[in-house]
Amino acid sequence: RREQRPSTAGQRLGAPESFGVSTLEPGLRPPAQPPGRQVSIRVQMLDDTQEVFQISQRSPGKVLFDLVCVHLNLTEGDYFGLEYQDQRKMTVWLDLLKPTLKQIRRPKNTILRFVVKFFPPDHTQLMEELTRYFFALQIKRDLACGRLICNDTSAALMVSHIIQSEIGDFDETQSWQHLLHNKYLPDQDAIRDKITDCHRKHVGQTPAESDFQLLEIARRLEMYGVRLHPAKDREGTKLSLAVAHTGVLVFQGYTKINAFNWSKIRKLSFKRKRFLIKLRADPAQNAHHDTLEFAMASRDCCKIFWKICVEYHAFFRLFEEPKPKPKPILFTRGSSFRFSGRTQKQIIDYVKDSELKKVPFERKHSKILSNSSMSPQPASFRSQVPKEVIQFLVSPFILSLIYCNYAPFSFLGRFVHIYSPHVIVNGSGSVNGQGIGCTGVLGPGQSPEGRQLSPLTSPLLTEAGYVRNDDEDEARRKKFPTDKAYFIAKELLTTERTYLKDLQVITESFQSFVGKDEVLPDSVKNLISANYDPVYKFHQGFLKEVEQRLAQWSGRSNAHIKGDYQRIGDILLKNIQGLRQLTIHLQKHSECLVELERACRSSRKVETVCRDFEQQRVCYLPFNIFLLRPLHRLLHYKLILERLCKHYPPTHEDFRDCRAALADISEMVLQLQGAMMKMENFQKLLELKKDLTGIDNLAIHGREFIRLGCLSKLSGKGLQQRMFFLFSDSLVYTSRGMTPSNQFKVHGQLSLYGMTIRESEEEWGVPHSFTLFGQRQSVVVAASCASEMERWVEDIRMAIDLAEQSSSPSTDLLSTSLPDNSNGAEQESEEELCSSRSSLERQGHRGNTTVHVCWHRNTSVSMVDFSVAVENQLSGNLLRKFKNSNGWQKLWVVFTNFSLFFYKSHQDDYPLASLPLLGYSVTVPCESENIHKDYVFKLHFKSHVYYFRSESEYTFERYPVMGNGLFPSYTLFYLQ
């Protein structure tokens, strides 16, 4: 299907509309993405720069890929792909059809690489110079890492063309110095003379010509575009498999020993660790079908290579993108994976038929300004983009500012600031195609109507947002600070107070409680004391420094006149460097959690004492959550520093300290990330174990929690409410028991190994229903709404894929075979669930755990939601008002674990009440509600309505943004 001539680069990519704001197309609006929280994704380009892109958490991989192509203004983007390391440390391609966050478990700590995916046999098939430039960068990278193996003559000639492209004509001194300071080959020194001799011969050659010559040499090499996948033949000989435009290749070392053309291959498949190539029969030799078998390291390796082969075959052999497979009527067999994107023929035809205008593009590594370097871009770009903006875009130092991105915070760009008439939001909400979540402040006499903002405009490009010189603003500052940095620092203070109280639960309350009966083994007691007490002592000193600085900043002394104390980066830098000395203790916290659980399993007395402690008012969360608090706090520091770095201009006196502190804390987070993820999953399994009865051992090695929530199960008695728990190996369904502990009684288990899933709304006449086909039984279930159904289906399919990757079916979770004969369970009223005292003072098992809240409000929550929630916590003063009350009550509020906890003041040891927020919506009051106050947001669920008033615009924006996208049905309706 041939497309019409487009008007934008986004449409040139084959999308119905642009998926982002290109820096080269002023005036475009970001398109509507799937609803949900915005997430920041880092992508490393071929020129080694990194860019941050904003996508919805439910966006498929194609949205991110198209954003990258639009940002680069790349017409022939289908030759490229995004690769990354998954949780198994295997390099895989981003699937364009699957949701990005279903593939990337930790987006904030994952860097995707934009690289060449399909290597055509002839570089003249690449129609655009920009595309050839990116291919040249890929060849340069392959040479440097030793992947593109060749003889010295070819290597020297290729490097000489790269140098010609970067520094121009040969100059002995300059060329020699350039080779000394740049590494193009692993053994470059041995052939340095050959390189310079070749470079002498390229006089007058432009960068574009150098790229062309480089590709001409590279394409003739046997290892051009080859990515080796280790394997063995049937005799156990070590080989490597690869795929090219011609078919599947077999290498021994770096020598090609066999090649199977696509025309000879009948089928490619894999079975566990075996990769199978079925060849067509040769009529001339009267031969039968032949099947070649290769053993690879694992099933995952086989599947990854098989997917690459499928895509290579479709890209080079098909005329158009293959159609998706029809949904099976009953059972699915094999993978549904298919190639997504335009084929090579479609790309060539499209570019030939499109008269694309050209303007210069930037060659990052080249010192030559060449007018011949052209790439498809709007012709009006040169007249619309100021010179200083272009300089801003190509400055690595300035670009580094944008990388400090906090996904939920970027939602602020979508607010209309009705309380501040002088503040406007950048129409695109982005810089370089990425959200910044900042506002620009108009100067006196300026108005949004009188000035057309470019998508490139941001506060980082102008001083307008930082100048407050009039007497009125200065007087207001003396009374109370108005700088956003102050409120970010105040968030650090308030959350640090809560964090110190949480540490106190471990170091004082728990140790005092278990010390009375002396049932806890000394080894466990000493382990906890030795690794939490130093952390608690350190943060006592840290909190005092922050309190003193904020007191000075807020104008309680004369320090604000000099401006010496209107910063926080110096304190953060000093204390984060001190915190690094405690890394050895932080690394032991996971061991503390494991050893405490081991003690509970081995002794009924220890388990009883720990459960009794969890019923104490001071332990307002499951105790294991407190044990993980120090690791989670590192994430909070990182996010606070990212917001500060995003807010400050580079010239601000606090910027350098904040950047240094951010680098230190990012390194610590990266170092402890693996242990943190494992412990979060382990903690969640332990927590769920307390809510379930009828399961032997839930927390076993290798099992991952994925989602829990309510679904209605179809049986002979009709639809009955059930609580479902999805793990990486099985799906368990329960009902709430009539026991004193309010535990959920397990009724059945479905193994995910061999399971299939099918939507069945039309078959059963039940809205939002789907059928799960297990090996021993089938279950029909229905979700409360379409979005809930979509979440469940996506996660179950992901879990099925995980189960298939395991070597054997899961073991039975259930301790006994329990019939599904429950007629439902006792309902808990919303008043009981949310009342000021009952949810915190009820004896026995807590009734406001996540499982019970999901049961009552008929919703679900996933492990991804839990992981995001621990990163996003708030503390501080809020004014609360009930629906029918007159006055406002000032409370200290802690937002954590999907709940609001209310205290009289931050000095209280335990909360007076709690409000679980799963299922709640957050909006702003309408005119008819007569809430004539600034910074008020409303929480409501059915007939339950609460109003909260914050002290500043920053806090007003933070609370709704924190909730939005963190969990299902907790939604934020933006002012339009």
Side-chain angles (χ1 to χ4, degrees):
R1 186 178 62 189
R2 189 163 295 179
E3 302 171 346
Q4 299 295 321
R5 182 181 303 174
S7 59
T8 69
Q11 291 169 338
R12 290 204 306 271
L13 291 168
E17 55 182 281
S18 171
F19 282 93
V21 177
S22 169
T23 59
L24 308 178
E25 296 172 11
L28 283 184
R29 294 182 179 180
Q33 293 191 25
R37 179 176 58 90
Q38 291 285 304
V39 180
S40 300
I41 304 290
R42 280 190 297 166
V43 178
Q44 181 170 318
M45 305 300 178
L46 280 161
D47 61 2
D48 295 327
T49 61
Q50 287 186 12
E51 298 290 341
V52 180
F53 297 90
Q54 296 286 337
I55 63 169
S56 166
Q57 64 174 353
R58 299 174 66 186
S59 294
K62 179 172 170 53
V63 171
L64 175 61
F65 181 73
D66 285 350
L67 276 174
V68 176
C69 291
V70 170
H71 167 72
L72 296 171
N73 218 39
L74 183 60
T75 309
E76 301 170 292
D78 302 78
Y79 286 104
F80 301 83
L82 294 171
E83 66 176 12
Y84 65 97
Q85 274 200 340
D86 63 8
Q87 66 271 20
R88 301 160 297 182
K89 301 299 181 184
M90 301 180 72
T91 300
V92 295
W93 293 103
L94 183 72
D95 191 323
L96 301 187
L97 298 180
K98 290 184 178 180
T100 302
L101 291 195
K102 293 295 181 184
Q103 305 176 65
I104 304 172
R105 306 291 290 274
R106 287 282 183 177
K108 290 183 181 178
N109 298 98
T110 302
I111 299 177
L112 286 85
R113 293 179 296 276
F114 181 79
V115 294
V116 175
K117 187 173 187 178
F118 301 111
F119 291 81
D122 187 354
H123 61 288
T124 59
Q125 294 173 331
L126 305 175
M127 310 302 289
E128 298 284 339
E129 184 190 328
L130 178 64
T131 312
R132 291 194 293 272
Y133 168 59
F134 287 141
F135 265 76
L137 291 178
Q138 183 69 62
I139 298 302
K140 175 184 172 182
R141 177 175 293 182
D142 289 351
L143 280 171
C145 69
R147 179 183 281 171
L148 184 54
I149 304 297
C150 60
N151 58 44
D152 289 350
T153 302
S154 297
L157 192 54
M158 285 191 288
V159 171
S160 70
H161 285 298
I162 295 172
I163 297 174
Q164 176 70 22
S165 159
E166 293 183 352
I167 66 174
D169 293 343
F170 178 77
D171 176 271
E172 189 160 358
T173 303
Q174 184 185 17
S175 300
W176 194 259
Q177 287 294 324
H178 192 75
L179 278 170
L180 283 175
H181 293 95
N182 294 275
K183 195 78 169 177
Y184 297 104
L185 296 167
D187 54 349
Q188 179 173 295
D189 294 343
I191 60 171
R192 191 180 300 168
D193 292 334
K194 277 189 177 183
I195 296 172
T196 55
D197 288 341
C198 293
H199 188 197
R200 295 175 198 270
K201 302 172 184 178
H202 304 328
V203 176
Q205 187 171 285
T206 66
E209 292 168 343
S210 296
D211 292 344
F212 192 91
Q213 294 300 327
L214 174 66
L215 296 177
E216 177 65 28
I217 300 165
R219 76 181 182 92
R220 300 178 185 276
L221 301 175
E222 194 166 68
M223 296 298 293
Y224 168 68
V226 169
R227 304 293 182 258
L228 297 177
H229 297 258
K232 294 180 181 179
D233 62 11
R234 288 183 175 177
E235 286 73 37
T237 305
K238 290 184 178 181
L239 303 170
S240 294
L241 299 180
V243 61
H245 66 281
T246 55
V248 179
L249 313 177
V250 183
F251 284 81
Q252 191 164 26
Y254 295 112
T255 303
K256 184 168 67 176
I257 61 172
N258 211 338
F260 304 101
N261 290 337
W262 295 123
S263 58
K264 295 181 179 179
I265 297 176
R266 183 169 61 90
K267 183 180 180 181
L268 293 174
S269 61
F270 64 95
K271 187 174 183 181
R272 299 195 183 278
K273 297 165 65 171
R274 293 179 296 146
F275 186 81
L276 306 173
I277 303 176
K278 295 183 179 180
L279 301 176
R280 299 183 188 277
D282 190 345
Q285 299 179 6
N286 196 24
H288 298 286
H289 296 302
D290 192 12
T291 300
L292 302 175
E293 182 178 312
F294 298 90
M296 304 188 82
S298 65
R299 180 186 182 277
D300 292 339
C301 295
C302 279
K303 188 171 185 179
I304 289 171
F305 182 62
W306 174 79
K307 283 184 174 182
I308 297 172
C309 292
V310 169
E311 293 185 310
Y312 251 81
H313 176 267
F315 184 78
F316 288 108
R317 296 278 290 183
L318 300 186
F319 287 161
E320 60 183 20
E321 178 181 353
K323 300 293 187 293
K325 291 181 180 179
K327 291 184 178 179
I329 299 175
L330 289 175
F331 301 99
T332 61
R333 293 191 63 186
S335 173
S336 62
F337 175 77
R338 68 180 178 89
F339 169 72
S340 172
R342 295 179 297 185
T343 64
Q344 187 188 31
K345 184 179 186 304
Q346 287 178 305
I347 299 172
I348 294 173
D349 290 346
Y350 170 71
V351 178
K352 283 181 179 178
D353 295 343
S354 302
E355 297 177 5
L356 303 175
K357 296 180 180 180
K358 314 279 188 174
V359 296
F361 64 84
E362 179 75 21
R363 289 174 178 264
K364 177 177 180 289
H365 299 285
S366 181
K367 300 178 182 179
I368 309 167
L369 296 177
S370 172
N371 291 328
S372 67
S373 297
M374 309 295 281
S375 174
Q377 294 174 354
S380 59
F381 174 69
R382 276 172 283 189
S383 61
Q384 293 185 2
V385 182
K387 179 180 178 181
E388 58 271 18
V389 172
I390 298 175
Q391 291 173 345
F392 164 81
L393 288 175
V394 301
S395 166
F397 177 71
I398 297 297
L399 281 176
S400 66
L401 301 181
I402 304 173
Y403 302 153
C404 305
N405 201 7
Y406 171 46
F409 196 67
S410 65
F411 277 97
L412 304 187
R414 295 166 60 187
F415 272 89
V416 175
H417 296 271
I418 58 175
Y419 299 108
S420 301
H422 293 297
V423 178
I424 65 169
V425 178
N426 185 324
S428 70
S430 67
V431 170
N432 247 6
Q434 52 193 293
I436 56 172
C438 299
T439 58
V441 181
L442 294 179
Q446 292 177 317
S447 67
E449 295 78 15
R451 177 183 173 189
Q452 180 66 37
L453 289 179
S454 163
L456 294 173
T457 306
S458 83
L460 297 178
L461 298 179
T462 173
E463 293 297 320
Y466 306 100
V467 178
R468 297 186 180 94
N469 291 325
D470 60 61
D471 296 336
E472 183 180 351
D473 279 354
E474 189 62 30
R476 190 183 299 115
R477 178 183 290 178
K478 290 179 180 178
K479 182 179 180 181
F480 197 79
T482 57
D483 185 13
K484 182 178 174 180
Y486 169 80
F487 294 107
I488 298 175
K490 189 168 184 180
E491 182 181 326
L492 171 67
L493 169 64
T494 55
T495 52
E496 189 71 14
R497 283 172 173 165
T498 298
Y499 173 53
L500 203 65
K501 284 287 184 182
D502 290 347
L503 286 177
Q504 199 171 349
V505 171
I506 305 171
T507 58
E508 296 181 8
S509 304
F510 177 72
Q511 295 189 35
S512 173
F513 188 86
V514 298
K516 296 176 183 177
D517 299 327
E518 296 185 351
V519 296
L520 193 66
D522 289 340
S523 59
V524 179
K525 192 185 304 181
N526 294 336
L527 183 65
I528 294 175
S529 177
N531 290 291
Y532 283 91
D533 289 355
V535 177
Y536 176 60
K537 185 177 180 180
F538 171 82
H539 284 279
Q540 283 180 309
F542 181 27
L543 177 60
K544 287 180 181 178
E545 289 188 56
V546 176
E547 285 177 333
Q548 290 172 359
R549 177 58 56 84
L550 266 292
Q552 294 164 334
W553 197 340
S554 61
R556 298 178 193 174
S557 71
N558 293 326
H560 66 276
I561 299 174
K562 301 177 183 178
D564 294 340
Y565 299 106
Q566 293 178 358
R567 56 197 175 103
I568 197 67
D570 56 330
I571 291 178
L572 278 165
L573 178 59
K574 170 192 167 186
N575 283 278
I576 286 175
Q577 289 174 345
L579 190 59
R580 295 186 67 171
Q581 307 302 318
L582 298 175
T583 302
I584 187 171
H585 296 296
L586 298 175
Q587 290 171 333
K588 289 280 189 179
H589 288 179
S590 57
E591 184 180 340
C592 295
L593 178 61
V594 173
E595 289 302 319
L596 182 61
E597 171 61 17
R598 188 170 292 159
C600 290
R601 288 183 181 180
S602 59
S603 170
R604 181 63 62 87
K605 288 184 177 180
V606 174
E607 182 183 16
T608 302
V609 168
C610 290
R611 288 220 173 187
D612 288 345
F613 177 72
E614 285 196 326
Q615 301 307 315
Q616 304 304 304
R617 290 179 173 182
V618 70
C619 190
Y620 65 99
L621 296 171
F623 182 65
N624 287 339
I625 292 181
F626 290 100
L627 294 176
L628 294 179
R629 275 291 197 250
L631 296 177
H632 294 156
R633 188 57 177 160
L634 300 180
L635 298 174
H636 304 159
Y637 292 145
K638 183 172 181 283
L639 297 177
I640 286 172
L641 281 161
E642 286 176 345
R643 286 197 291 278
L644 283 168
C645 290
K646 188 186 297 184
H647 168 68
Y648 284 136
T651 55
H652 195 282
E653 61 179 351
D654 205 23
F655 177 78
R656 180 172 297 188
D657 286 341
C658 287
R659 287 292 296 176
L662 177 60
D664 286 346
I665 199 67
S666 298
E667 185 180 340
M668 288 186 67
V669 168
L670 197 60
Q671 183 180 355
L672 298 167
Q673 191 74 48
M676 191 186 309
M677 291 176 63
K678 290 180 181 178
M679 287 304 105
E680 283 176 1
N681 181 71
F682 183 57
Q683 182 273 325
K684 186 52 57 183
L685 292 175
L686 295 179
E687 185 180 332
L688 294 179
K689 178 184 171 185
K690 299 173 185 176
D691 281 310
L692 299 176
T693 179
I695 281 188
D696 282 330
N697 186 11
L698 190 62
I700 65 172
H701 178 72
R703 176 172 293 142
E704 294 184 35
F705 163 69
I706 298 175
R707 179 174 288 276
L708 66 86
C710 262
L711 292 170
S712 296
K713 180 177 177 291
L714 186 63
S715 66
K717 300 175 183 178
L719 288 172
Q720 293 184 312
Q721 185 178 358
R722 292 288 179 264
M723 197 72 185
F724 279 73
F725 299 84
L726 177 62
F727 304 101
S728 57
D729 58 349
S730 59
L731 179 66
V732 175
Y733 56 94
T734 70
S735 67
R736 207 179 74 166
M738 306 281 290
T739 63
S741 62
N742 284 326
Q743 287 177 294
F744 283 80
K745 183 180 180 182
V746 177
H747 287 280
Q749 170 195 0
L750 295 172
S751 172
L752 297 179
Y753 191 83
M755 178 185 284
T756 57
I757 183 171
R758 187 185 74 208
E759 296 180 16
S760 51
E761 185 171 331
E762 295 182 1
E763 179 181 354
W764 296 99
V766 178
H768 319 309
S769 64
F770 54 96
T771 305
L772 302 168
F773 298 94
Q775 292 178 324
R776 292 180 291 181
Q777 67 177 120
S778 299
V779 175
V780 180
V781 294
S784 59
C785 60
S787 58
E788 272 291 295
M789 173 183 167
E790 186 178 347
R791 295 185 189 105
W792 274 107
V793 170
E794 284 181 3
D795 281 353
I796 291 173
R797 283 177 175 158
M798 178 188 71
I800 290 172
D801 288 342
L802 290 175
E804 287 179 352
Q805 293 168 12
S806 62
S807 57
S808 60
S810 62
T811 55
D812 197 356
L813 274 171
L814 310 187
S815 54
T816 55
S817 178
L818 299 170
D820 189 5
N821 57 3
S822 173
N823 292 320
E826 178 186 1
Q827 289 293 320
E828 183 177 22
S829 69
E830 177 69 16
E831 285 76 10
E832 183 185 1
L833 189 65
C834 298
S835 64
S836 294
R837 292 190 178 275
S838 64
S839 64
L840 287 165
E841 297 181 4
R842 183 182 296 117
Q843 295 299 316
H845 191 75
R846 292 185 184 276
N848 65 338
T849 65
T850 304
V851 177
H852 286 80
V853 177
C854 285
W855 168 266
H856 181 78
R857 294 183 183 156
N858 198 20
T859 186
S860 69
V861 64
S862 71
M863 190 61 202
V864 174
D865 299 323
F866 282 108
S867 297
V868 173
V870 298
E871 298 178 8
N872 297 281
Q873 300 180 10
L874 274 177
S875 305
N877 288 311
L878 285 177
L879 296 173
R880 183 184 67 179
K881 179 181 180 297
F882 296 106
K883 184 177 180 181
N884 298 317
S885 64
N886 295 322
W888 294 83
Q889 180 185 14
K890 185 176 182 180
L891 296 167
W892 177 263
V893 179
V894 174
F895 174 42
T896 185
N897 209 45
F898 308 126
S899 299
L900 290 177
F901 294 90
F902 304 107
Y903 302 73
K904 284 185 178 180
S905 75
H906 69 84
Q907 297 173 333
D908 290 354
D909 291 329
Y910 55 85
L912 301 173
S914 68
L915 177 64
L917 294 181
L918 284 169
Y920 267 76
S921 296
V922 55
T923 62
V924 292
C926 60
E927 189 68 28
S928 61
E929 292 174 276
N930 295 319
I931 305 294
H932 302 298
K933 299 290 184 181
D934 291 346
Y935 315 137
V936 175
F937 60 93
K938 178 175 73 171
L939 287 170
H940 51 96
F941 172 76
K942 295 183 178 178
S943 62
H944 298 268
V945 178
Y946 305 92
Y947 300 99
F948 293 94
R949 182 183 172 195
S950 53
E951 65 178 2
S952 67
E953 184 177 1
Y954 171 78
T955 315
F956 166 73
E957 291 167 343
R958 285 286 292 135
Y959 270 98
V961 169
M962 294 289 284
N964 185 59
L966 291 189
F967 35 84
S969 303
Y970 184 92
T971 54
L972 174 61
F973 297 92
Y974 292 97
L975 300 175
Q976 299 296 330

